[in-house]
Amino acid sequence: MEYKNILFESKNKIAYITINRPKQLNALNSETIIELSKAISLAEEDKSIRCIIITGAENKAFVAGADIKEFVNYSKKEGQELARKGQETLFDLLENCGTPSIAAINGFALGGGLELAMACHIRIASENAKMGLPEVSLGVIPGYGGTQRLANLVGKGKAIEMIITAGMISSEDAKNWGLVNHFCLQTELLPLAEKIASKIIQNSPIAIAKAIKVVNAGVKDSLKGFELEKKEFGNCFESEEFIEGTNAFLEKRKANF
Ligand code: CAA
């Protein structure tokens, strides 16, 4: 598959997706959103890929937001369509993808960029990263799921503060607020993402996909989450990976998934 706006590489069971528009600080235009969506779908279909790492090209930005130049003249209808299409094509797809994703935030993650990171399952950031949802400074609100996912991650109070001040927070604050799981030197960002990925890869991909599905269901509706957990817990007993995982434990060896 040929891409214009992203780089895609896979090695050692990890897919590396790099948003590659550094002159625009990796801003997400609609073409980039479609390419990202295709890359994530292909990675999910490819059973040799067990984890996805998403990052931005060069050292300045992860993604500086949706491409403002693209929507500056949009009507109300076009604006609604931009948000709907973006959420359905990419952000919901990424959040519900059974192959886990790690956002390696290497610089500015603003607006749609932070929304992209928040749709990933794990976020880590480099020390120079700056994160925020500055949309209200442009007279608009986050449209790629940011109002909902930020409140889920950091709580309503901090989310509203971040959104209505349009401010940026440091990696250290993001870690303290629960927005990112870890932060580190920029040179250590990809090695840290790979270290986390290497732990994920050792585990049952079927069980991982089910765990993601159940956690996501519970965030939307906690009662449904508990119900789905019971059902999917039982479903695991039918998988060969369950037989391999439990037998490996009893035989005092490492499971081979
Ligand atoms: N869209 C389009 N182009 C962008 C962009 C964006 N979101 N962010 C940066 N760029 C472009 C700039 O226009 C500039 O291009 P030119 O050289 O052609 O002028 C280039 O990237 C470099 O940017 P700056 O010169 O601004 O770099 P800086 O170091 O002075 O500032 C910055 C960096 C603080 C990140 C600043 O670029 C900035 O504030 N960017 C916009 C951030 C933003 O508002 N994001 C939210 C977008 S709206 C959104 O995402 C909606 C949604 O939820 C769906």
Side-chain angles (χ1 to χ4, degrees), residues 21-25 27-28 60 64-71 82-83 108 110-113 115 133-135 137-138 140-144 168:
R21 301 181 76 219
K23 284 196 184 120
Q24 294 81 23
L25 302 188
L28 297 177
K60 190 167 170 182
D67 193 319
I68 299 166
K69 286 173 197 144
E70 198 175 62
F71 65 71
L82 179 83
F108 288 112
L110 303 174
E115 291 172 303
L133 293 179
E135 284 88 344
S137 72
L138 300 166
V140 67
I141 65 168
Y144 288 151
M168 294 183 209

PDB file of all heavy atoms in Angstrom, residues 21-25 27-28 60 64-71 82-83 108 110-113 115 133-135 137-138 140-144 168, ligand 1:
ATOM      1  N   ARG A  21       3.938  14.818   7.861  1.00  0.00           N
ATOM      2  CA  ARG A  21       3.739  16.127   7.218  1.00  0.00           C
ATOM      3  C   ARG A  21       4.459  17.168   8.080  1.00  0.00           C
ATOM      4  O   ARG A  21       3.830  18.094   8.613  1.00  0.00           O
ATOM      5  CB  ARG A  21       2.249  16.473   7.132  1.00  0.00           C
ATOM      6  CG  ARG A  21       1.395  15.469   6.349  1.00  0.00           C
ATOM      7  CD  ARG A  21      -0.054  15.927   6.311  1.00  0.00           C
ATOM      8  NE  ARG A  21      -0.276  17.000   5.377  1.00  0.00           N
ATOM      9  CZ  ARG A  21      -1.105  18.032   5.606  1.00  0.00           C
ATOM     10  NH1 ARG A  21      -1.776  18.133   6.743  1.00  0.00           N
ATOM     11  NH2 ARG A  21      -1.258  18.973   4.692  1.00  0.00           N
ATOM     12  N   PRO A  22       5.762  17.016   8.261  1.00  0.00           N
ATOM     13  CA  PRO A  22       6.446  17.854   9.247  1.00  0.00           C
ATOM     14  C   PRO A  22       6.352  19.358   8.974  1.00  0.00           C
ATOM     15  O   PRO A  22       6.343  20.150   9.924  1.00  0.00           O
ATOM     16  CB  PRO A  22       7.900  17.362   9.205  1.00  0.00           C
ATOM     17  CG  PRO A  22       8.034  16.574   7.957  1.00  0.00           C
ATOM     18  CD  PRO A  22       6.673  16.060   7.610  1.00  0.00           C
ATOM     19  N   LYS A  23       6.242  19.745   7.688  1.00  0.00           N
ATOM     20  CA  LYS A  23       6.152  21.194   7.387  1.00  0.00           C
ATOM     21  C   LYS A  23       4.857  21.787   7.938  1.00  0.00           C
ATOM     22  O   LYS A  23       4.776  22.974   8.223  1.00  0.00           O
ATOM     23  CB  LYS A  23       6.219  21.418   5.866  1.00  0.00           C
ATOM     24  CG  LYS A  23       7.628  21.262   5.331  1.00  0.00           C
ATOM     25  CD  LYS A  23       7.758  21.868   3.937  1.00  0.00           C
ATOM     26  CE  LYS A  23       9.154  21.597   3.427  1.00  0.00           C
ATOM     27  NZ  LYS A  23       9.171  20.808   2.192  1.00  0.00           N
ATOM     28  N   GLN A  24       3.817  20.954   8.059  1.00  0.00           N
ATOM     29  CA  GLN A  24       2.532  21.412   8.641  1.00  0.00           C
ATOM     30  C   GLN A  24       2.407  20.896  10.074  1.00  0.00           C
ATOM     31  O   GLN A  24       1.306  20.763  10.603  1.00  0.00           O
ATOM     32  CB  GLN A  24       1.354  20.883   7.815  1.00  0.00           C
ATOM     33  CG  GLN A  24       1.243  21.415   6.396  1.00  0.00           C
ATOM     34  CD  GLN A  24       2.165  20.708   5.401  1.00  0.00           C
ATOM     35  OE1 GLN A  24       2.584  19.578   5.620  1.00  0.00           O
ATOM     36  NE2 GLN A  24       2.492  21.379   4.314  1.00  0.00           N
ATOM     37  N   LEU A  25       3.528  20.598  10.686  1.00  0.00           N
ATOM     38  CA  LEU A  25       3.550  20.014  12.044  1.00  0.00           C
ATOM     39  C   LEU A  25       2.620  18.800  12.141  1.00  0.00           C
ATOM     40  O   LEU A  25       1.925  18.593  13.131  1.00  0.00           O
ATOM     41  CB  LEU A  25       3.212  21.060  13.110  1.00  0.00           C
ATOM     42  CG  LEU A  25       4.132  22.299  13.148  1.00  0.00           C
ATOM     43  CD1 LEU A  25       3.824  23.159  14.362  1.00  0.00           C
ATOM     44  CD2 LEU A  25       5.605  21.910  13.178  1.00  0.00           C
ATOM     45  N   ALA A  27      -0.133  18.122  10.825  1.00  0.00           N
ATOM     46  CA  ALA A  27      -1.587  18.372  10.950  1.00  0.00           C
ATOM     47  C   ALA A  27      -2.365  17.351  10.116  1.00  0.00           C
ATOM     48  O   ALA A  27      -1.936  16.923   9.056  1.00  0.00           O
ATOM     49  CB  ALA A  27      -1.910  19.794  10.485  1.00  0.00           C
ATOM     50  N   LEU A  28      -3.539  16.997  10.640  1.00  0.00           N
ATOM     51  CA  LEU A  28      -4.364  15.944  10.016  1.00  0.00           C
ATOM     52  C   LEU A  28      -5.318  16.542   8.989  1.00  0.00           C
ATOM     53  O   LEU A  28      -6.342  17.123   9.368  1.00  0.00           O
ATOM     54  CB  LEU A  28      -5.202  15.233  11.081  1.00  0.00           C
ATOM     55  CG  LEU A  28      -4.478  14.458  12.184  1.00  0.00           C
ATOM     56  CD1 LEU A  28      -5.496  13.899  13.177  1.00  0.00           C
ATOM     57  CD2 LEU A  28      -3.624  13.336  11.596  1.00  0.00           C
ATOM     58  N   LYS A  60       9.476  18.021  16.361  1.00  0.00           N
ATOM     59  CA  LYS A  60       8.703  19.138  16.902  1.00  0.00           C
ATOM     60  C   LYS A  60       7.254  18.779  17.266  1.00  0.00           C
ATOM     61  O   LYS A  60       6.711  19.323  18.223  1.00  0.00           O
ATOM     62  CB  LYS A  60       8.720  20.290  15.878  1.00  0.00           C
ATOM     63  CG  LYS A  60       8.160  21.581  16.420  1.00  0.00           C
ATOM     64  CD  LYS A  60       8.459  22.763  15.527  1.00  0.00           C
ATOM     65  CE  LYS A  60       7.675  23.978  15.981  1.00  0.00           C
ATOM     66  NZ  LYS A  60       7.898  25.131  15.136  1.00  0.00           N
ATOM     67  N   ALA A  64      -0.157  18.586  15.275  1.00  0.00           N
ATOM     68  CA  ALA A  64      -0.594  19.892  15.802  1.00  0.00           C
ATOM     69  C   ALA A  64      -2.079  20.149  15.576  1.00  0.00           C
ATOM     70  O   ALA A  64      -2.519  21.303  15.630  1.00  0.00           O
ATOM     71  CB  ALA A  64       0.248  21.007  15.187  1.00  0.00           C
ATOM     72  N   GLY A  65      -2.856  19.109  15.297  1.00  0.00           N
ATOM     73  CA  GLY A  65      -4.306  19.277  15.211  1.00  0.00           C
ATOM     74  C   GLY A  65      -4.854  18.923  13.853  1.00  0.00           C
ATOM     75  O   GLY A  65      -4.128  18.505  12.950  1.00  0.00           O
ATOM     76  N   ALA A  66      -6.168  19.122  13.733  1.00  0.00           N
ATOM     77  CA  ALA A  66      -6.791  19.008  12.404  1.00  0.00           C
ATOM     78  C   ALA A  66      -6.209  20.128  11.550  1.00  0.00           C
ATOM     79  O   ALA A  66      -5.776  21.166  12.078  1.00  0.00           O
ATOM     80  CB  ALA A  66      -8.294  19.173  12.548  1.00  0.00           C
ATOM     81  N   ASP A  67      -6.187  19.928  10.236  1.00  0.00           N
ATOM     82  CA  ASP A  67      -5.601  20.933   9.345  1.00  0.00           C
ATOM     83  C   ASP A  67      -6.554  22.124   9.222  1.00  0.00           C
ATOM     84  O   ASP A  67      -7.607  22.033   8.582  1.00  0.00           O
ATOM     85  CB  ASP A  67      -5.324  20.307   7.964  1.00  0.00           C
ATOM     86  CG  ASP A  67      -4.444  21.208   7.120  1.00  0.00           C
ATOM     87  OD1 ASP A  67      -4.666  22.444   7.140  1.00  0.00           O
ATOM     88  OD2 ASP A  67      -3.533  20.692   6.452  1.00  0.00           O
ATOM     89  N   ILE A  68      -6.166  23.223   9.876  1.00  0.00           N
ATOM     90  CA  ILE A  68      -7.046  24.396   9.955  1.00  0.00           C
ATOM     91  C   ILE A  68      -7.316  24.960   8.554  1.00  0.00           C
ATOM     92  O   ILE A  68      -8.428  25.404   8.255  1.00  0.00           O
ATOM     93  CB  ILE A  68      -6.427  25.466  10.893  1.00  0.00           C
ATOM     94  CG1 ILE A  68      -6.260  24.885  12.301  1.00  0.00           C
ATOM     95  CG2 ILE A  68      -7.275  26.738  10.931  1.00  0.00           C
ATOM     96  CD1 ILE A  68      -5.373  25.693  13.229  1.00  0.00           C
ATOM     97  N   LYS A  69      -6.287  24.914   7.690  1.00  0.00           N
ATOM     98  CA  LYS A  69      -6.459  25.478   6.327  1.00  0.00           C
ATOM     99  C   LYS A  69      -7.564  24.749   5.568  1.00  0.00           C
ATOM    100  O   LYS A  69      -8.222  25.329   4.726  1.00  0.00           O
ATOM    101  CB  LYS A  69      -5.146  25.359   5.548  1.00  0.00           C
ATOM    102  CG  LYS A  69      -4.109  26.368   6.012  1.00  0.00           C
ATOM    103  CD  LYS A  69      -2.741  26.145   5.375  1.00  0.00           C
ATOM    104  CE  LYS A  69      -1.699  26.895   6.198  1.00  0.00           C
ATOM    105  NZ  LYS A  69      -0.430  26.211   6.302  1.00  0.00           N
ATOM    106  N   GLU A  70      -7.746  23.488   5.885  1.00  0.00           N
ATOM    107  CA  GLU A  70      -8.722  22.687   5.145  1.00  0.00           C
ATOM    108  C   GLU A  70     -10.169  23.053   5.526  1.00  0.00           C
ATOM    109  O   GLU A  70     -11.050  23.015   4.686  1.00  0.00           O
ATOM    110  CB  GLU A  70      -8.470  21.193   5.421  1.00  0.00           C
ATOM    111  CG  GLU A  70      -9.108  20.275   4.420  1.00  0.00           C
ATOM    112  CD  GLU A  70      -8.743  18.821   4.662  1.00  0.00           C
ATOM    113  OE1 GLU A  70      -9.087  18.284   5.740  1.00  0.00           O
ATOM    114  OE2 GLU A  70      -8.086  18.228   3.803  1.00  0.00           O
ATOM    115  N   PHE A  71     -10.410  23.416   6.795  1.00  0.00           N
ATOM    116  CA  PHE A  71     -11.825  23.618   7.189  1.00  0.00           C
ATOM    117  C   PHE A  71     -12.199  25.076   7.432  1.00  0.00           C
ATOM    118  O   PHE A  71     -13.320  25.368   7.830  1.00  0.00           O
ATOM    119  CB  PHE A  71     -12.193  22.740   8.397  1.00  0.00           C
ATOM    120  CG  PHE A  71     -11.482  23.060   9.698  1.00  0.00           C
ATOM    121  CD1 PHE A  71     -11.762  24.210  10.407  1.00  0.00           C
ATOM    122  CD2 PHE A  71     -10.556  22.165  10.231  1.00  0.00           C
ATOM    123  CE1 PHE A  71     -11.130  24.488  11.619  1.00  0.00           C
ATOM    124  CE2 PHE A  71      -9.912  22.427  11.436  1.00  0.00           C
ATOM    125  CZ  PHE A  71     -10.206  23.601  12.120  1.00  0.00           C
ATOM    126  N   LEU A  82     -17.387  16.812   8.905  1.00  0.00           N
ATOM    127  CA  LEU A  82     -15.946  16.623   9.176  1.00  0.00           C
ATOM    128  C   LEU A  82     -15.770  15.838  10.484  1.00  0.00           C
ATOM    129  O   LEU A  82     -15.004  14.872  10.553  1.00  0.00           O
ATOM    130  CB  LEU A  82     -15.250  17.991   9.296  1.00  0.00           C
ATOM    131  CG  LEU A  82     -13.751  17.951   9.594  1.00  0.00           C
ATOM    132  CD1 LEU A  82     -12.964  17.732   8.300  1.00  0.00           C
ATOM    133  CD2 LEU A  82     -13.282  19.248  10.260  1.00  0.00           C
ATOM    134  N   ALA A  83     -16.516  16.267  11.520  1.00  0.00           N
ATOM    135  CA  ALA A  83     -16.400  15.605  12.821  1.00  0.00           C
ATOM    136  C   ALA A  83     -16.926  14.165  12.739  1.00  0.00           C
ATOM    137  O   ALA A  83     -16.282  13.230  13.227  1.00  0.00           O
ATOM    138  CB  ALA A  83     -17.159  16.399  13.882  1.00  0.00           C
ATOM    139  N   PHE A 108       4.396  18.606  19.965  1.00  0.00           N
ATOM    140  CA  PHE A 108       3.040  19.142  20.127  1.00  0.00           C
ATOM    141  C   PHE A 108       1.981  18.075  19.814  1.00  0.00           C
ATOM    142  O   PHE A 108       2.028  17.429  18.765  1.00  0.00           O
ATOM    143  CB  PHE A 108       2.807  20.303  19.160  1.00  0.00           C
ATOM    144  CG  PHE A 108       3.546  21.564  19.520  1.00  0.00           C
ATOM    145  CD1 PHE A 108       4.580  22.031  18.716  1.00  0.00           C
ATOM    146  CD2 PHE A 108       3.208  22.283  20.660  1.00  0.00           C
ATOM    147  CE1 PHE A 108       5.270  23.191  19.038  1.00  0.00           C
ATOM    148  CE2 PHE A 108       3.896  23.457  20.994  1.00  0.00           C
ATOM    149  CZ  PHE A 108       4.930  23.905  20.180  1.00  0.00           C
ATOM    150  N   LEU A 110      -1.829  18.621  19.798  1.00  0.00           N
ATOM    151  CA  LEU A 110      -2.854  19.646  20.015  1.00  0.00           C
ATOM    152  C   LEU A 110      -4.117  19.297  19.241  1.00  0.00           C
ATOM    153  O   LEU A 110      -4.041  18.710  18.153  1.00  0.00           O
ATOM    154  CB  LEU A 110      -2.335  21.012  19.551  1.00  0.00           C
ATOM    155  CG  LEU A 110      -1.033  21.476  20.229  1.00  0.00           C
ATOM    156  CD1 LEU A 110      -0.527  22.764  19.583  1.00  0.00           C
ATOM    157  CD2 LEU A 110      -1.252  21.688  21.728  1.00  0.00           C
ATOM    158  N   GLY A 111      -5.270  19.689  19.784  1.00  0.00           N
ATOM    159  CA  GLY A 111      -6.526  19.468  19.073  1.00  0.00           C
ATOM    160  C   GLY A 111      -6.637  18.027  18.600  1.00  0.00           C
ATOM    161  O   GLY A 111      -6.479  17.078  19.379  1.00  0.00           O
ATOM    162  N   GLY A 112      -6.865  17.864  17.279  1.00  0.00           N
ATOM    163  CA  GLY A 112      -6.992  16.526  16.698  1.00  0.00           C
ATOM    164  C   GLY A 112      -5.790  15.633  16.984  1.00  0.00           C
ATOM    165  O   GLY A 112      -5.915  14.407  16.957  1.00  0.00           O
ATOM    166  N   GLY A 113      -4.638  16.228  17.269  1.00  0.00           N
ATOM    167  CA  GLY A 113      -3.440  15.438  17.591  1.00  0.00           C
ATOM    168  C   GLY A 113      -3.562  14.791  18.961  1.00  0.00           C
ATOM    169  O   GLY A 113      -3.270  13.599  19.137  1.00  0.00           O
ATOM    170  N   GLU A 115      -6.400  14.341  20.362  1.00  0.00           N
ATOM    171  CA  GLU A 115      -7.551  13.428  20.208  1.00  0.00           C
ATOM    172  C   GLU A 115      -7.103  12.091  19.619  1.00  0.00           C
ATOM    173  O   GLU A 115      -7.587  11.032  20.001  1.00  0.00           O
ATOM    174  CB  GLU A 115      -8.627  14.097  19.338  1.00  0.00           C
ATOM    175  CG  GLU A 115      -9.281  15.266  20.077  1.00  0.00           C
ATOM    176  CD  GLU A 115     -10.218  16.085  19.205  1.00  0.00           C
ATOM    177  OE1 GLU A 115      -9.755  16.598  18.162  1.00  0.00           O
ATOM    178  OE2 GLU A 115     -11.393  16.210  19.558  1.00  0.00           O
ATOM    179  N   LEU A 133      -6.047  21.062  24.066  1.00  0.00           N
ATOM    180  CA  LEU A 133      -7.164  21.130  23.113  1.00  0.00           C
ATOM    181  C   LEU A 133      -7.469  22.619  22.919  1.00  0.00           C
ATOM    182  O   LEU A 133      -8.304  23.187  23.639  1.00  0.00           O
ATOM    183  CB  LEU A 133      -8.386  20.369  23.657  1.00  0.00           C
ATOM    184  CG  LEU A 133      -8.250  18.838  23.777  1.00  0.00           C
ATOM    185  CD1 LEU A 133      -9.521  18.216  24.365  1.00  0.00           C
ATOM    186  CD2 LEU A 133      -7.937  18.191  22.426  1.00  0.00           C
ATOM    187  N   PRO A 134      -6.763  23.268  21.970  1.00  0.00           N
ATOM    188  CA  PRO A 134      -6.886  24.734  21.847  1.00  0.00           C
ATOM    189  C   PRO A 134      -8.038  25.206  20.963  1.00  0.00           C
ATOM    190  O   PRO A 134      -8.100  26.376  20.586  1.00  0.00           O
ATOM    191  CB  PRO A 134      -5.538  25.117  21.207  1.00  0.00           C
ATOM    192  CG  PRO A 134      -5.150  23.938  20.386  1.00  0.00           C
ATOM    193  CD  PRO A 134      -5.758  22.717  21.056  1.00  0.00           C
ATOM    194  N   GLU A 135      -8.994  24.309  20.649  1.00  0.00           N
ATOM    195  CA  GLU A 135     -10.017  24.647  19.652  1.00  0.00           C
ATOM    196  C   GLU A 135     -10.802  25.913  19.985  1.00  0.00           C
ATOM    197  O   GLU A 135     -11.158  26.681  19.092  1.00  0.00           O
ATOM    198  CB  GLU A 135     -10.988  23.467  19.459  1.00  0.00           C
ATOM    199  CG  GLU A 135     -10.427  22.309  18.643  1.00  0.00           C
ATOM    200  CD  GLU A 135      -9.676  21.276  19.460  1.00  0.00           C
ATOM    201  OE1 GLU A 135      -9.302  21.569  20.612  1.00  0.00           O
ATOM    202  OE2 GLU A 135      -9.478  20.152  18.946  1.00  0.00           O
ATOM    203  N   SER A 137      -9.892  28.561  21.149  1.00  0.00           N
ATOM    204  CA  SER A 137      -9.158  29.778  20.730  1.00  0.00           C
ATOM    205  C   SER A 137      -9.410  30.070  19.249  1.00  0.00           C
ATOM    206  O   SER A 137      -9.140  31.164  18.774  1.00  0.00           O
ATOM    207  CB  SER A 137      -7.654  29.626  20.998  1.00  0.00           C
ATOM    208  OG  SER A 137      -7.080  28.704  20.092  1.00  0.00           O
ATOM    209  N   LEU A 138      -9.916  29.057  18.520  1.00  0.00           N
ATOM    210  CA  LEU A 138     -10.248  29.239  17.098  1.00  0.00           C
ATOM    211  C   LEU A 138     -11.759  29.455  16.914  1.00  0.00           C
ATOM    212  O   LEU A 138     -12.253  29.519  15.802  1.00  0.00           O
ATOM    213  CB  LEU A 138      -9.839  27.994  16.293  1.00  0.00           C
ATOM    214  CG  LEU A 138      -8.364  27.582  16.297  1.00  0.00           C
ATOM    215  CD1 LEU A 138      -8.210  26.174  15.745  1.00  0.00           C
ATOM    216  CD2 LEU A 138      -7.530  28.558  15.500  1.00  0.00           C
ATOM    217  N   VAL A 140     -14.064  27.237  17.904  1.00  0.00           N
ATOM    218  CA  VAL A 140     -14.703  25.955  17.631  1.00  0.00           C
ATOM    219  C   VAL A 140     -14.459  25.056  18.857  1.00  0.00           C
ATOM    220  O   VAL A 140     -13.767  25.486  19.799  1.00  0.00           O
ATOM    221  CB  VAL A 140     -14.124  25.382  16.289  1.00  0.00           C
ATOM    222  CG1 VAL A 140     -12.665  24.995  16.397  1.00  0.00           C
ATOM    223  CG2 VAL A 140     -14.954  24.245  15.742  1.00  0.00           C
ATOM    224  N   ILE A 141     -15.036  23.878  18.901  1.00  0.00           N
ATOM    225  CA  ILE A 141     -14.772  22.967  20.017  1.00  0.00           C
ATOM    226  C   ILE A 141     -14.092  21.708  19.476  1.00  0.00           C
ATOM    227  O   ILE A 141     -14.116  21.472  18.267  1.00  0.00           O
ATOM    228  CB  ILE A 141     -16.057  22.587  20.809  1.00  0.00           C
ATOM    229  CG1 ILE A 141     -17.039  21.783  19.931  1.00  0.00           C
ATOM    230  CG2 ILE A 141     -16.732  23.833  21.383  1.00  0.00           C
ATOM    231  CD1 ILE A 141     -18.174  21.127  20.719  1.00  0.00           C
ATOM    232  N   PRO A 142     -13.491  20.898  20.339  1.00  0.00           N
ATOM    233  CA  PRO A 142     -12.907  19.642  19.839  1.00  0.00           C
ATOM    234  C   PRO A 142     -13.987  18.826  19.124  1.00  0.00           C
ATOM    235  O   PRO A 142     -15.115  18.733  19.599  1.00  0.00           O
ATOM    236  CB  PRO A 142     -12.438  18.932  21.116  1.00  0.00           C
ATOM    237  CG  PRO A 142     -12.252  20.031  22.110  1.00  0.00           C
ATOM    238  CD  PRO A 142     -13.312  21.044  21.799  1.00  0.00           C
ATOM    239  N   GLY A 143     -13.619  18.228  17.987  1.00  0.00           N
ATOM    240  CA  GLY A 143     -14.635  17.527  17.186  1.00  0.00           C
ATOM    241  C   GLY A 143     -14.301  16.071  16.912  1.00  0.00           C
ATOM    242  O   GLY A 143     -15.101  15.358  16.320  1.00  0.00           O
ATOM    243  N   TYR A 144     -13.118  15.653  17.326  1.00  0.00           N
ATOM    244  CA  TYR A 144     -12.730  14.257  17.090  1.00  0.00           C
ATOM    245  C   TYR A 144     -12.766  13.452  18.387  1.00  0.00           C
ATOM    246  O   TYR A 144     -11.889  12.628  18.650  1.00  0.00           O
ATOM    247  CB  TYR A 144     -11.350  14.185  16.435  1.00  0.00           C
ATOM    248  CG  TYR A 144     -11.307  14.632  14.981  1.00  0.00           C
ATOM    249  CD1 TYR A 144     -10.154  15.187  14.426  1.00  0.00           C
ATOM    250  CD2 TYR A 144     -12.414  14.489  14.146  1.00  0.00           C
ATOM    251  CE1 TYR A 144     -10.104  15.585  13.084  1.00  0.00           C
ATOM    252  CE2 TYR A 144     -12.382  14.889  12.815  1.00  0.00           C
ATOM    253  CZ  TYR A 144     -11.227  15.438  12.290  1.00  0.00           C
ATOM    254  OH  TYR A 144     -11.195  15.816  10.964  1.00  0.00           O
ATOM    255  N   MET A 168      -1.846  24.668  27.089  1.00  0.00           N
ATOM    256  CA  MET A 168      -1.069  23.443  26.840  1.00  0.00           C
ATOM    257  C   MET A 168      -0.476  22.982  28.165  1.00  0.00           C
ATOM    258  O   MET A 168      -0.085  23.815  28.979  1.00  0.00           O
ATOM    259  CB  MET A 168       0.100  23.731  25.904  1.00  0.00           C
ATOM    260  CG  MET A 168      -0.295  24.129  24.520  1.00  0.00           C
ATOM    261  SD  MET A 168       1.212  24.325  23.542  1.00  0.00           S
ATOM    262  CE  MET A 168       0.677  25.551  22.361  1.00  0.00           C
TER     263      MET A 168
HETATM  264  N1  CAA B   1      -3.341  23.092  10.708  1.00  0.00           N
HETATM  265  C1  CAA B   1      -2.696  23.528   9.595  1.00  0.00           C
HETATM  266  N2  CAA B   1      -1.410  23.986   9.607  1.00  0.00           N
HETATM  267  C2  CAA B   1      -0.779  23.975  10.792  1.00  0.00           C
HETATM  268  C3  CAA B   1      -1.388  23.534  11.989  1.00  0.00           C
HETATM  269  C4  CAA B   1      -2.727  23.077  11.909  1.00  0.00           C
HETATM  270  N3  CAA B   1      -3.394  22.579  12.980  1.00  0.00           N
HETATM  271  N4  CAA B   1      -0.493  23.674  13.004  1.00  0.00           N
HETATM  272  C5  CAA B   1       0.625  24.182  12.452  1.00  0.00           C
HETATM  273  N5  CAA B   1       0.468  24.365  11.124  1.00  0.00           N
HETATM  274  C6  CAA B   1       1.433  24.903  10.152  1.00  0.00           C
HETATM  275  C7  CAA B   1       1.553  26.408  10.287  1.00  0.00           C
HETATM  276  O1  CAA B   1       0.511  27.062   9.571  1.00  0.00           O
HETATM  277  C8  CAA B   1       2.932  26.647   9.684  1.00  0.00           C
HETATM  278  O2  CAA B   1       2.810  26.594   8.282  1.00  0.00           O
HETATM  279  P1  CAA B   1       3.496  27.740   7.351  1.00  0.00           P
HETATM  280  O3  CAA B   1       4.971  27.539   7.578  1.00  0.00           O
HETATM  281  O4  CAA B   1       3.041  27.389   5.969  1.00  0.00           O
HETATM  282  O5  CAA B   1       3.001  29.043   7.860  1.00  0.00           O
HETATM  283  C9  CAA B   1       3.718  25.415  10.115  1.00  0.00           C
HETATM  284  O6  CAA B   1       2.735  24.426  10.460  1.00  0.00           O
HETATM  285  C10 CAA B   1       4.587  25.669  11.346  1.00  0.00           C
HETATM  286  O7  CAA B   1       3.764  26.179  12.373  1.00  0.00           O
HETATM  287  P2  CAA B   1       4.085  27.549  13.171  1.00  0.00           P
HETATM  288  O8  CAA B   1       4.866  28.480  12.299  1.00  0.00           O
HETATM  289  O9  CAA B   1       2.797  28.044  13.744  1.00  0.00           O
HETATM  290  O10 CAA B   1       5.039  26.979  14.310  1.00  0.00           O
HETATM  291  P3  CAA B   1       5.275  27.602  15.767  1.00  0.00           P
HETATM  292  O11 CAA B   1       6.442  26.899  16.343  1.00  0.00           O
HETATM  293  O12 CAA B   1       5.309  29.085  15.719  1.00  0.00           O
HETATM  294  O13 CAA B   1       3.944  27.202  16.606  1.00  0.00           O
HETATM  295  C11 CAA B   1       2.169  25.722  17.295  1.00  0.00           C
HETATM  296  C12 CAA B   1       3.639  25.852  16.846  1.00  0.00           C
HETATM  297  C13 CAA B   1       1.997  26.361  18.679  1.00  0.00           C
HETATM  298  C14 CAA B   1       1.857  24.236  17.389  1.00  0.00           C
HETATM  299  C15 CAA B   1       1.257  26.430  16.278  1.00  0.00           C
HETATM  300  O14 CAA B   1       1.583  25.953  14.977  1.00  0.00           O
HETATM  301  C16 CAA B   1      -0.208  26.218  16.488  1.00  0.00           C
HETATM  302  O15 CAA B   1      -0.785  26.814  17.380  1.00  0.00           O
HETATM  303  N6  CAA B   1      -0.854  25.376  15.667  1.00  0.00           N
HETATM  304  C17 CAA B   1      -2.285  25.163  15.683  1.00  0.00           C
HETATM  305  C18 CAA B   1      -2.713  24.323  16.883  1.00  0.00           C
HETATM  306  C19 CAA B   1      -4.220  24.193  16.915  1.00  0.00           C
HETATM  307  O16 CAA B   1      -4.937  25.142  17.059  1.00  0.00           O
HETATM  308  N7  CAA B   1      -4.708  22.961  16.796  1.00  0.00           N
HETATM  309  C20 CAA B   1      -6.104  22.654  16.802  1.00  0.00           C
HETATM  310  C21 CAA B   1      -6.622  22.586  15.399  1.00  0.00           C
HETATM  311  S1  CAA B   1      -8.381  22.519  15.316  1.00  0.00           S
HETATM  312  C22 CAA B   1      -8.788  20.894  15.590  1.00  0.00           C
HETATM  313  O17 CAA B   1      -7.931  20.053  15.825  1.00  0.00           O
HETATM  314  C23 CAA B   1     -10.265  20.609  15.478  1.00  0.00           C
HETATM  315  C24 CAA B   1     -10.728  19.287  15.852  1.00  0.00           C
HETATM  316  O18 CAA B   1     -10.703  18.876  16.996  1.00  0.00           O
HETATM  317  C25 CAA B   1     -11.344  18.438  14.834  1.00  0.00           C
END
